[in-house]
Amino acid sequence: GAGVSQSPSNKVTEKGKDVELRCDPISGHTALYWYRQSLGQGLEFLIYFQGNSAPDKSGLPSDRFSAERTGGSVSTLTIQRTQQEDSAVYLCASSSGQGPSYYGYTFGSGTRLTVV
Amino acid sequence: GNSVTQMEGPVTLSEEAFLTINCTYTATGYPSLFWYVQYPGEGLQLLLKATKADDKGSNKGFEATYRKETTSFHLEKGSVQVSDSAVYFCALSPAGNKLTFGTGTQLKVEL
């Protein structure tokens, strides 16, 4: 597509439920990133996919968080047994194979997750 | 490790005032530097970038110069407008690696 698409745009869930957030990157972009933006905080790196390489999961805050990227395109971020502190805006971004060091990222509009 | 430090906000200015948002960084090697902007209700957008020392990135009247000697990438604009009200994020990327962001600085421009 023309941009990075994320769905849903808003999600309200009850504490303890599982949620799935979807990201559809720009066609042809080989790199895909998930970040979390909490109220009053900066952007917290979660996970990074580059082509067929093993993902960089170093930013995932706990084992309740996981992500996969199917066919090198769409990615799903899953949060199990959600907690109130998981409430945040989850941002997805993609970049070309040349990498963010030159071109930067293109961000989606995010999914606002509220855990009640 | 890599880190970015931005000045605390919010910054409140009158229209046509001069803007400076300070950004300093810590990184190994020679990272690329970026400013992203997030307008109310919208996603982050790349505002400008610089990929090597002494480069000046510019866009929409904003400028920032990559200063290796002071490890800084301060954002400036000579005359701000109400439409510039947004949150501004400084970020760095070592070669071939993920972006590290600062905490963001909120700018409010008033008539």
Side-chain angles (χ1 to χ4, degrees):
Chain A
V4 177
S5 178
Q6 290 188 246
S7 61
S9 56
N10 281 284
K11 176 71 176 180
V12 180
T13 190
E14 292 180 353
K15 179 181 173 180
K17 295 285 181 67
D18 297 352
V19 295
E20 288 188 349
L21 312 180
R22 176 188 168 101
C23 173
D24 197 347
I26 291 174
S27 178
H29 277 190
T30 57
L32 186 148
Y33 313 82
W34 284 96
Y35 282 78
R36 178 167 70 174
Q37 185 177 20
S38 302
L39 187 63
Q41 303 294 314
L43 277 76
E44 175 187 8
F45 168 75
L46 297 177
I47 189 168
Y48 160 44
F49 296 89
Q50 173 61 61
N52 295 320
S53 302
D56 176 353
K57 304 180 181 180
S58 59
L60 294 179
S62 78
D63 59 7
R64 296 187 295 104
F65 288 72
S66 63
E68 62 177 17
R69 188 179 184 191
T70 55
S73 180
V74 172
S75 176
T76 302
L77 176 68
T78 301
I79 308 173
Q80 295 178 311
R81 305 181 301 282
T82 51
Q83 303 296 313
Q84 289 186 329
E85 62 263 27
D86 299 335
S87 296
V89 177
Y90 290 82
L91 295 168
C92 176
S94 68
S95 69
S96 74
Q98 297 298 316
S101 59
Y102 195 83
Y103 293 106
Y105 298 167
T106 300
F107 278 89
S109 297
T111 295
R112 182 177 297 279
L113 175 66
T114 304
V115 181
V116 297
Chain B
N2 301 316
S3 67
V4 176
T5 302
Q6 290 183 234
M7 63 189 291
E8 294 280 334
V11 173
T12 303
L13 295 174
S14 299
E15 200 169 43
E16 299 184 1
F18 185 86
L19 168 71
T20 301
I21 299 178
N22 290 337
C23 171
T24 58
Y25 67 90
T26 301
T28 54
Y30 303 95
S32 295
L33 301 174
F34 303 84
W35 278 99
Y36 278 80
V37 58
Q38 188 174 31
Y39 297 103
E42 299 185 14
L44 274 82
Q45 303 172 26
L46 179 62
L47 179 61
L48 54 83
K49 65 179 173 73
T51 57
K52 61 183 187 295
D54 299 325
D55 267 3
K56 177 185 287 188
S58 62
N59 186 24
K60 299 181 180 180
F62 290 88
E63 294 183 339
T65 301
Y66 189 140
R67 301 288 188 197
K68 190 175 187 302
E69 63 275 14
T70 54
T71 62
S72 66
F73 193 55
H74 303 323
L75 183 68
E76 297 181 337
K77 186 174 185 181
S79 176
V80 293
Q81 305 299 311
V82 171
S83 57
D84 294 326
S85 298
V87 181
Y88 292 82
F89 292 89
C90 185
L92 68 83
S93 175
N97 208 331
K98 57 186 180 287
L99 280 168
T100 297
F101 287 86
T103 53
T105 302
Q106 184 176 11
L107 170 66
K108 297 180 181 178
V109 181
E110 301 173 335
L111 290 172

